[in-house]
Amino acid sequence: MSDNENYEAAVQSASTEVASFEEQGKGLLGHFHHALHATPSLVPLIVLLSSIVIFGIVVGSNFFSAYALTLILQQVQIVGVLAAAQTLVILTAGIDLSVGAIAVFISVIMGQFTFRYGIPAPAAVICGLAIGTGIGAISGWLVSRVKLPPFIVTLGMWQIVLAANYLYSANETIRSQDIATDAPFLHFLGRTFELGGAKLNLGVVLMVILVAVLAYCLRSTAWGRHVYAVGDDPEAAKLAGVNVNQTLMSVYMLVGFICALAGWVMIGRFGSVSPSATTGTFGNIQSITAVVIGGISLFGGRGSILGAFFGALIVGVFELGLRMAGADAQWTYLLIGALIIGAVTVDQWIRKVSA
Amino acid sequence: MEPILKARGLVKRYGKVTAINHSDFDLMPGEILAVIGDNGAGKSSIVKALCGAVIPDEGEVWLEGKKVNFSSPIDARDAGIETVYQTLAMSPALSIADNMFMGRELRKPGFMGKWLHQLDRPAMEKFAREKLSELGLMTIQNINQAVESLSGGQRQGVAVARAAAFGSKVIILDEPTAALGVKESRKVLELIQDVRSRGIPIILISHNMPHVFEVADRIHIHRLGRRLAIIDPKQHSMSDAVAYMTGAQVPDGVAA
Ligand SMILES: Nc1ncnc2c1ncn2[C@@H]1O[C@H](COP(=O)(O)OP(=O)(O)O)[C@@H](O)[C@H]1O
Ligand SMILES: [Mg+2]
C-alpha cells in the first residue's frame, strides 16, 4: 500500500491528552458574558439589586426599611407562586394561561367546601389541592396524549375554569370575619411572624420554600433533566429514552397543584374568598411577565426557576418604588414593558455560544 | 444458527410514501452487519422499526427467538438494543454527561439518592469522561459543556460513546462516521471491532464503502424500501455493491 492509502495509520501515534488551552485574556466583558452564560439567573438578580438601589436613591432611605422590603415580598407572594408553576410549563416549551383562574377557582372551592358543605377546613384544603391537580391532569392529557398546542388547551381551560368559578360560587363572596371565626385554618398562610423587625407571613415562606424545592428538583434530579430535555427537543428526548408523555403529564399536574396552593395563599393574603379576584384574569400575564423578565426562554429548555423568582420580585420592586415615588401607575406598566423587551434582548446576547 | 434479531414482512407507510416495503431483516449473533443503500432507500426507517423508534404498520420482529413488540425506544433499550440515530438524539442545551445518561441517570448512594433522588454528578461525569477517552475524543475540554457547543463530529462521537457504553445485546449505528474526522472515524471502526470482540453484534449503516468492506461480516443491500440481497464482502467488490444498491446490476439469485 502506498503512503497515501495508508494515511489512517498515522492516527496510531495521535496525542492522548485531553485538550486544554490557556484562558485567553477575554477582558472584563468576556468574563461577564461567560458568567451570565453559566448562570442565567444572574441577569435578573443584577436587575433586582440595582433597581432596589436606584429606588432607594430616588425614594429615599424609606425604601430600604424592613417594612418596605417585606411589603414587596407580601405583595409578590401570589404572583411568585404562580410564576413558579408557569416556569415549569414554559421549560417544557409550553405555556399555561389558566394558572390564575385555577388559583381563584380553588380558593372558592376551599371556601365553599367549608361553608356550604361543612367539611372541616383542612379537608377542604386537601380537596382543593386535589382538584387543582386534577385540572392540571386534564390539560396535561390534552397536551401530551391528544397533542394539542398548550396555548390552545390552556386558553380554553382558562375560560372554562373562570366560568365554572362564577357558576359554582354563584358570584358569592365569603367574608373575612366569617372565615376568621368559623374556619381559621383557611387563613393559615396569612399568619404573620416577626423576623428581625420585618413582618413576614407564611405565604411568603411557602413561596420561598417552593422555589427552593423546585430549583433542587430541576437541577439535581433525573425528572428535572427530563423537563429540560423535553422542552429542548421532544423528539430527541424520546429517542434518547425519556418518557416524554409522562414527563409532560407530571409537569401539568404539578402546575395544577401549585396553582391550587396559590389559591390557598390568596385566602391568607386577602382574608376573604372572592370569585372575582383579579388574579383570575391577570394571573397568567403577571406570571408570564415574571418568567420572561427572569430570563427563561419561551421556546423551552433554558433558564432557571430562580430567575422567575427574581423576575417576580423585580415587578414588585417597581410597583412599590414607583408608588412610593408618587408616580402614575402607568409608569409601572411602561417600565415593565421595557424590562420584558430588555430581558429578551439580553437573553439573545447571552445565548451566543462564543462565550 | 438463529438470528439474534430477525424481522419478517415489515411495512411502514407515511401517507403515500412507503418507507419500508415488506422488508425482511436478519442479524446473526456476534456479527457486524453493514446496511448500504441509496439515500431514501429506507435504511434509517428499517433500523428504527427494529429499535422501537418507528412502529411498523405490518410485520413481526424477534429478538433472540422471542417475538417483541416495542412501543417506544425505551422498551428496546431495556431489552439491550442501543442505537445511534442519524439525528443523534441529543438535548443541545444539556451537558455531555447529562446527555450520556439521559433516561438512565445515576443516583447518589445513601439518603440523598434514595429519598431525595439526587443525581450522582461526579460518578456520571467520570464515566462519561472515560468513555470519551476510549473513543479518543480528547478535544472535548469540559465534560459539563453543553452539547450545542460541540462540533458536529464531537457530537457524533458522544452519541457513539453513549451507545457503546450501554448496549448489551445489539448496537445499531446509523451513519456514525458521516461527520467525523479521519482519526475519529478510525476510532469508531476500532470501537466497532472491539464491541464485536465482546460478543455484541452491530448493525452499521454507512456510505463509506472502504469502511464497510473492512469491518463487515455480511452486507445487507437495501433498495426501494426492502432488502434486495445479502452479500459476502469477500466474494464481491465495492463496485459490485454499488451497482446492486443503485440498481445498475442485479445480484445473482435475485429476480430482476
Ligand atoms: N417521518 C417521516 N415522515 C414522512 N416520510 C418519511 C419519514 N421518515 C422517512 N420518510 C420517507 O421514507 C423514505 C426512507 O427514508 P429513510 O429511511 O430516512 O432513508 P435512508 O435512511 O435510507 O436515507 C424517504 O422517502 C423519506 O422521505
Ligand atoms: Mg438515513
Short mmCIF file of all heavy atoms in Angstrom, two decimals, chain B residues 164-211:
data_model
loop_
_atom_site.label_atom_id
_atom_site.label_comp_id
_atom_site.label_asym_id
_atom_site.label_seq_id
_atom_site.Cartn_x
_atom_site.Cartn_y
_atom_site.Cartn_z
N ALA B 164 -22.19 2.64 22.76
CA ALA B 164 -21.23 1.58 23.04
C ALA B 164 -21.16 1.28 24.53
O ALA B 164 -20.97 0.14 24.94
CB ALA B 164 -19.85 1.98 22.52
N ALA B 165 -21.36 2.31 25.34
CA ALA B 165 -21.25 2.12 26.78
C ALA B 165 -22.42 1.31 27.34
O ALA B 165 -22.26 0.60 28.32
CB ALA B 165 -21.17 3.47 27.49
N PHE B 166 -23.59 1.44 26.72
CA PHE B 166 -24.77 0.85 27.35
C PHE B 166 -25.37 -0.34 26.60
O PHE B 166 -26.21 -1.03 27.13
CB PHE B 166 -25.85 1.91 27.56
CG PHE B 166 -25.44 2.97 28.54
CD1 PHE B 166 -25.07 4.23 28.11
CD2 PHE B 166 -25.42 2.70 29.89
CE1 PHE B 166 -24.68 5.21 29.01
CE2 PHE B 166 -25.04 3.66 30.80
CZ PHE B 166 -24.67 4.93 30.36
N GLY B 167 -24.98 -0.54 25.32
CA GLY B 167 -25.59 -1.64 24.55
C GLY B 167 -25.16 -2.98 25.11
O GLY B 167 -23.98 -3.20 25.33
N SER B 168 -26.10 -3.90 25.34
CA SER B 168 -25.72 -5.20 25.86
C SER B 168 -26.04 -6.33 24.90
O SER B 168 -25.41 -7.37 24.94
CB SER B 168 -26.41 -5.45 27.20
OG SER B 168 -27.81 -5.45 27.03
N LYS B 169 -27.04 -6.15 23.99
CA LYS B 169 -27.39 -7.24 23.07
C LYS B 169 -27.11 -6.89 21.62
O LYS B 169 -26.59 -7.69 20.87
CB LYS B 169 -28.88 -7.58 23.21
CG LYS B 169 -29.21 -8.25 24.53
CD LYS B 169 -30.06 -9.48 24.35
CE LYS B 169 -30.27 -10.20 25.67
NZ LYS B 169 -31.46 -9.67 26.35
N VAL B 170 -27.52 -5.66 21.22
CA VAL B 170 -27.36 -5.23 19.84
C VAL B 170 -27.03 -3.74 19.85
O VAL B 170 -27.61 -2.98 20.63
CB VAL B 170 -28.67 -5.45 19.04
CG1 VAL B 170 -28.53 -4.86 17.64
CG2 VAL B 170 -29.04 -6.91 18.96
N ILE B 171 -26.09 -3.34 18.98
CA ILE B 171 -25.83 -1.91 18.83
C ILE B 171 -26.08 -1.53 17.38
O ILE B 171 -25.59 -2.17 16.46
CB ILE B 171 -24.40 -1.56 19.27
CG1 ILE B 171 -24.26 -1.78 20.78
CG2 ILE B 171 -24.07 -0.09 18.95
CD1 ILE B 171 -22.90 -1.51 21.32
N ILE B 172 -26.90 -0.48 17.21
CA ILE B 172 -27.25 -0.02 15.87
C ILE B 172 -26.60 1.34 15.65
O ILE B 172 -26.76 2.25 16.48
CB ILE B 172 -28.79 0.11 15.74
CG1 ILE B 172 -29.46 -1.25 15.98
CG2 ILE B 172 -29.16 0.67 14.37
CD1 ILE B 172 -30.98 -1.20 15.98
N LEU B 173 -25.86 1.48 14.56
CA LEU B 173 -25.19 2.76 14.29
C LEU B 173 -25.66 3.26 12.92
O LEU B 173 -25.34 2.66 11.90
CB LEU B 173 -23.68 2.56 14.28
CG LEU B 173 -23.05 1.95 15.54
CD1 LEU B 173 -21.64 1.47 15.27
CD2 LEU B 173 -23.03 2.97 16.68
N ASP B 174 -26.40 4.36 12.92
CA ASP B 174 -26.92 4.90 11.65
C ASP B 174 -26.00 6.03 11.19
O ASP B 174 -26.04 7.13 11.73
CB ASP B 174 -28.35 5.41 11.86
CG ASP B 174 -29.04 5.73 10.54
OD1 ASP B 174 -28.37 5.73 9.49
OD2 ASP B 174 -30.27 5.98 10.55
N GLU B 175 -25.16 5.73 10.23
CA GLU B 175 -24.16 6.66 9.69
C GLU B 175 -23.36 7.35 10.80
O GLU B 175 -23.36 8.57 10.92
CB GLU B 175 -24.84 7.70 8.78
CG GLU B 175 -25.62 7.02 7.67
CD GLU B 175 -25.91 7.93 6.49
OE1 GLU B 175 -25.21 8.93 6.35
OE2 GLU B 175 -26.81 7.61 5.71
N PRO B 176 -22.66 6.54 11.61
CA PRO B 176 -21.98 7.11 12.78
C PRO B 176 -20.74 7.92 12.45
O PRO B 176 -20.27 8.68 13.27
CB PRO B 176 -21.60 5.87 13.60
CG PRO B 176 -21.41 4.80 12.57
CD PRO B 176 -22.43 5.08 11.50
N THR B 177 -20.19 7.74 11.25
CA THR B 177 -18.94 8.45 10.96
C THR B 177 -19.13 9.57 9.93
O THR B 177 -18.16 10.18 9.50
CB THR B 177 -17.86 7.48 10.44
OG1 THR B 177 -18.36 6.81 9.28
CG2 THR B 177 -17.49 6.45 11.48
N ALA B 178 -20.40 9.85 9.57
CA ALA B 178 -20.65 10.81 8.49
C ALA B 178 -19.99 12.16 8.73
O ALA B 178 -19.50 12.79 7.81
CB ALA B 178 -22.14 10.97 8.27
N ALA B 179 -19.96 12.60 10.01
CA ALA B 179 -19.42 13.94 10.28
C ALA B 179 -18.06 13.87 10.96
O ALA B 179 -17.54 14.87 11.42
CB ALA B 179 -20.39 14.72 11.16
N LEU B 180 -17.48 12.68 11.04
CA LEU B 180 -16.25 12.53 11.82
C LEU B 180 -14.99 12.76 11.00
O LEU B 180 -14.97 12.52 9.79
CB LEU B 180 -16.19 11.14 12.45
CG LEU B 180 -17.23 10.84 13.53
CD1 LEU B 180 -16.97 9.47 14.14
CD2 LEU B 180 -17.23 11.90 14.61
N GLY B 181 -13.94 13.19 11.68
CA GLY B 181 -12.64 13.35 11.04
C GLY B 181 -11.97 11.99 10.87
O GLY B 181 -12.50 10.96 11.31
N VAL B 182 -10.81 11.99 10.24
CA VAL B 182 -10.10 10.74 9.95
C VAL B 182 -9.83 9.96 11.23
O VAL B 182 -10.11 8.77 11.34
CB VAL B 182 -8.76 11.04 9.24
CG1 VAL B 182 -7.94 9.78 9.10
CG2 VAL B 182 -9.02 11.68 7.89
N LYS B 183 -9.29 10.66 12.20
CA LYS B 183 -8.89 9.98 13.43
C LYS B 183 -10.11 9.42 14.17
O LYS B 183 -10.11 8.27 14.60
CB LYS B 183 -8.14 10.97 14.32
CG LYS B 183 -7.80 10.42 15.68
CD LYS B 183 -6.95 11.39 16.48
CE LYS B 183 -7.45 11.43 17.90
NZ LYS B 183 -7.59 12.73 18.46
N GLU B 184 -11.15 10.23 14.26
CA GLU B 184 -12.34 9.79 14.99
C GLU B 184 -13.03 8.63 14.27
O GLU B 184 -13.49 7.69 14.90
CB GLU B 184 -13.32 10.94 15.20
CG GLU B 184 -12.87 11.97 16.23
CD GLU B 184 -11.87 12.94 15.66
OE1 GLU B 184 -11.66 12.93 14.43
OE2 GLU B 184 -11.28 13.71 16.44
N SER B 185 -13.07 8.69 12.90
CA SER B 185 -13.68 7.60 12.14
C SER B 185 -12.93 6.30 12.43
O SER B 185 -13.52 5.25 12.64
CB SER B 185 -13.59 7.86 10.64
OG SER B 185 -14.35 8.97 10.31
N ARG B 186 -11.61 6.40 12.42
CA ARG B 186 -10.78 5.20 12.67
C ARG B 186 -11.08 4.65 14.06
O ARG B 186 -11.22 3.45 14.25
CB ARG B 186 -9.32 5.64 12.53
CG ARG B 186 -8.26 4.63 12.71
CD ARG B 186 -8.08 3.50 11.73
NE ARG B 186 -8.72 3.50 10.45
CZ ARG B 186 -9.20 2.38 9.88
NH1 ARG B 186 -9.11 1.21 10.50
NH2 ARG B 186 -9.75 2.42 8.71
N LYS B 187 -11.23 5.56 15.03
CA LYS B 187 -11.53 5.13 16.40
C LYS B 187 -12.89 4.43 16.47
O LYS B 187 -13.05 3.45 17.19
CB LYS B 187 -11.54 6.34 17.34
CG LYS B 187 -10.16 6.81 17.71
CD LYS B 187 -9.56 5.91 18.76
CE LYS B 187 -8.21 6.47 19.21
NZ LYS B 187 -7.53 5.53 20.11
N VAL B 188 -13.85 4.96 15.71
CA VAL B 188 -15.18 4.34 15.72
C VAL B 188 -15.09 2.94 15.13
O VAL B 188 -15.67 1.99 15.66
CB VAL B 188 -16.21 5.21 14.96
CG1 VAL B 188 -17.51 4.43 14.74
CG2 VAL B 188 -16.50 6.49 15.73
N LEU B 189 -14.31 2.78 14.05
CA LEU B 189 -14.15 1.44 13.47
C LEU B 189 -13.50 0.50 14.47
O LEU B 189 -13.90 -0.66 14.64
CB LEU B 189 -13.30 1.51 12.20
CG LEU B 189 -13.94 2.20 11.00
CD1 LEU B 189 -13.02 2.10 9.79
CD2 LEU B 189 -15.30 1.62 10.67
N GLU B 190 -12.47 1.01 15.17
CA GLU B 190 -11.82 0.18 16.19
C GLU B 190 -12.81 -0.20 17.28
O GLU B 190 -12.86 -1.33 17.74
CB GLU B 190 -10.65 0.95 16.84
CG GLU B 190 -9.38 0.89 16.04
CD GLU B 190 -8.31 1.81 16.63
OE1 GLU B 190 -8.41 2.18 17.82
OE2 GLU B 190 -7.37 2.17 15.89
N LEU B 191 -13.63 0.80 17.65
CA LEU B 191 -14.61 0.56 18.70
C LEU B 191 -15.61 -0.52 18.25
O LEU B 191 -15.98 -1.40 19.03
CB LEU B 191 -15.36 1.86 19.01
CG LEU B 191 -16.42 1.70 20.08
CD1 LEU B 191 -15.83 1.94 21.45
CD2 LEU B 191 -17.57 2.67 19.85
N ILE B 192 -16.02 -0.45 16.98
CA ILE B 192 -16.96 -1.43 16.46
C ILE B 192 -16.38 -2.83 16.57
O ILE B 192 -17.03 -3.77 17.03
CB ILE B 192 -17.31 -1.09 14.99
CG1 ILE B 192 -18.18 0.17 14.94
CG2 ILE B 192 -18.02 -2.25 14.32
CD1 ILE B 192 -18.44 0.69 13.53
N GLN B 193 -15.08 -2.96 16.21
CA GLN B 193 -14.46 -4.28 16.28
C GLN B 193 -14.29 -4.72 17.73
O GLN B 193 -14.44 -5.90 18.05
CB GLN B 193 -13.11 -4.25 15.54
CG GLN B 193 -13.36 -4.40 14.05
CD GLN B 193 -12.21 -3.88 13.19
OE1 GLN B 193 -11.53 -2.93 13.57
NE2 GLN B 193 -12.02 -4.51 12.04
N ASP B 194 -14.02 -3.73 18.56
CA ASP B 194 -13.87 -4.00 19.99
C ASP B 194 -15.19 -4.52 20.58
O ASP B 194 -15.22 -5.49 21.34
CB ASP B 194 -13.45 -2.69 20.67
CG ASP B 194 -13.17 -2.88 22.13
OD1 ASP B 194 -12.42 -3.81 22.43
OD2 ASP B 194 -13.69 -2.10 22.94
N VAL B 195 -16.28 -3.86 20.19
CA VAL B 195 -17.60 -4.27 20.67
C VAL B 195 -17.91 -5.68 20.20
O VAL B 195 -18.41 -6.52 20.95
CB VAL B 195 -18.69 -3.28 20.20
CG1 VAL B 195 -20.08 -3.85 20.46
CG2 VAL B 195 -18.54 -1.94 20.89
N ARG B 196 -17.57 -5.97 18.93
CA ARG B 196 -17.84 -7.31 18.42
C ARG B 196 -17.02 -8.34 19.20
O ARG B 196 -17.51 -9.44 19.49
CB ARG B 196 -17.51 -7.43 16.94
CG ARG B 196 -17.84 -8.85 16.50
CD ARG B 196 -17.32 -9.28 15.16
NE ARG B 196 -16.10 -8.66 14.75
CZ ARG B 196 -15.68 -8.63 13.51
NH1 ARG B 196 -16.44 -9.18 12.56
NH2 ARG B 196 -14.55 -8.07 13.19
N SER B 197 -15.79 -7.98 19.53
CA SER B 197 -14.96 -8.96 20.26
C SER B 197 -15.54 -9.22 21.65
O SER B 197 -15.23 -10.23 22.27
CB SER B 197 -13.52 -8.48 20.36
OG SER B 197 -13.44 -7.37 21.23
N ARG B 198 -16.39 -8.32 22.13
CA ARG B 198 -17.11 -8.60 23.39
C ARG B 198 -18.33 -9.46 23.12
O ARG B 198 -19.12 -9.72 24.01
CB ARG B 198 -17.56 -7.28 24.05
CG ARG B 198 -16.40 -6.41 24.48
CD ARG B 198 -16.78 -5.29 25.46
NE ARG B 198 -18.10 -4.72 25.32
CZ ARG B 198 -18.35 -3.43 25.06
NH1 ARG B 198 -17.35 -2.58 24.88
NH2 ARG B 198 -19.58 -2.99 24.99
N GLY B 199 -18.53 -9.84 21.85
CA GLY B 199 -19.64 -10.75 21.52
C GLY B 199 -20.93 -10.04 21.18
O GLY B 199 -21.96 -10.69 20.99
N ILE B 200 -20.88 -8.72 21.09
CA ILE B 200 -22.11 -7.97 20.81
C ILE B 200 -22.19 -7.66 19.32
O ILE B 200 -21.26 -7.07 18.76
CB ILE B 200 -22.15 -6.67 21.63
CG1 ILE B 200 -22.11 -7.01 23.11
CG2 ILE B 200 -23.41 -5.85 21.30
CD1 ILE B 200 -21.94 -5.81 24.01
N PRO B 201 -23.27 -8.06 18.66
CA PRO B 201 -23.39 -7.80 17.23
C PRO B 201 -23.76 -6.34 16.94
O PRO B 201 -24.35 -5.67 17.79
CB PRO B 201 -24.54 -8.72 16.80
CG PRO B 201 -25.36 -8.88 18.02
CD PRO B 201 -24.43 -8.79 19.20
N ILE B 202 -23.39 -5.90 15.73
CA ILE B 202 -23.57 -4.49 15.38
C ILE B 202 -24.22 -4.37 14.01
O ILE B 202 -23.90 -5.12 13.08
CB ILE B 202 -22.19 -3.80 15.34
CG1 ILE B 202 -21.64 -3.69 16.76
CG2 ILE B 202 -22.28 -2.40 14.72
CD1 ILE B 202 -20.20 -3.39 16.80
N ILE B 203 -25.15 -3.43 13.92
CA ILE B 203 -25.71 -3.05 12.62
C ILE B 203 -25.09 -1.71 12.27
O ILE B 203 -25.22 -0.75 13.03
CB ILE B 203 -27.24 -2.91 12.69
CG1 ILE B 203 -27.87 -4.23 13.14
CG2 ILE B 203 -27.78 -2.45 11.34
CD1 ILE B 203 -29.36 -4.11 13.46
N LEU B 204 -24.39 -1.65 11.12
CA LEU B 204 -23.71 -0.42 10.75
C LEU B 204 -24.25 0.09 9.42
O LEU B 204 -24.09 -0.56 8.39
CB LEU B 204 -22.20 -0.70 10.62
CG LEU B 204 -21.37 0.43 10.00
CD1 LEU B 204 -21.27 1.62 10.94
CD2 LEU B 204 -19.98 -0.07 9.64
N ILE B 205 -24.92 1.25 9.47
CA ILE B 205 -25.34 1.88 8.22
C ILE B 205 -24.25 2.86 7.83
O ILE B 205 -23.82 3.68 8.65
CB ILE B 205 -26.66 2.66 8.40
CG1 ILE B 205 -27.77 1.70 8.83
CG2 ILE B 205 -27.04 3.37 7.10
CD1 ILE B 205 -29.13 2.37 8.98
N SER B 206 -23.74 2.75 6.61
CA SER B 206 -22.68 3.66 6.19
C SER B 206 -22.64 3.80 4.68
O SER B 206 -23.02 2.89 3.95
CB SER B 206 -21.33 3.15 6.71
OG SER B 206 -20.29 3.98 6.24
N HIS B 207 -22.18 4.96 4.23
CA HIS B 207 -21.96 5.17 2.80
C HIS B 207 -20.50 4.99 2.44
O HIS B 207 -20.12 5.08 1.29
CB HIS B 207 -22.39 6.59 2.40
CG HIS B 207 -23.87 6.78 2.34
ND1 HIS B 207 -24.65 6.11 1.44
CD2 HIS B 207 -24.72 7.53 3.08
CE1 HIS B 207 -25.92 6.45 1.61
NE2 HIS B 207 -25.99 7.31 2.61
N ASN B 208 -19.67 4.78 3.48
CA ASN B 208 -18.23 4.69 3.25
C ASN B 208 -17.85 3.25 2.89
O ASN B 208 -17.68 2.40 3.77
CB ASN B 208 -17.51 5.18 4.50
CG ASN B 208 -16.02 5.28 4.28
OD1 ASN B 208 -15.42 4.40 3.67
ND2 ASN B 208 -15.42 6.37 4.76
N MET B 209 -17.73 2.96 1.58
CA MET B 209 -17.51 1.58 1.13
C MET B 209 -16.22 0.95 1.67
O MET B 209 -16.24 -0.20 2.11
CB MET B 209 -17.53 1.50 -0.40
CG MET B 209 -18.92 1.68 -0.98
SD MET B 209 -20.07 0.46 -0.30
CE MET B 209 -21.55 1.44 -0.28
N PRO B 210 -15.09 1.70 1.67
CA PRO B 210 -13.89 1.08 2.23
C PRO B 210 -14.09 0.64 3.69
O PRO B 210 -13.68 -0.46 4.07
CB PRO B 210 -12.84 2.20 2.13
CG PRO B 210 -13.32 3.06 1.02
CD PRO B 210 -14.81 3.01 1.07
N HIS B 211 -14.76 1.47 4.48
CA HIS B 211 -15.00 1.09 5.88
C HIS B 211 -15.92 -0.12 5.96
O HIS B 211 -15.68 -1.05 6.73
CB HIS B 211 -15.63 2.26 6.64
CG HIS B 211 -14.65 3.37 6.93
ND1 HIS B 211 -15.04 4.57 7.47
CD2 HIS B 211 -13.32 3.44 6.76
CE1 HIS B 211 -13.98 5.34 7.62
NE2 HIS B 211 -12.91 4.67 7.18
#
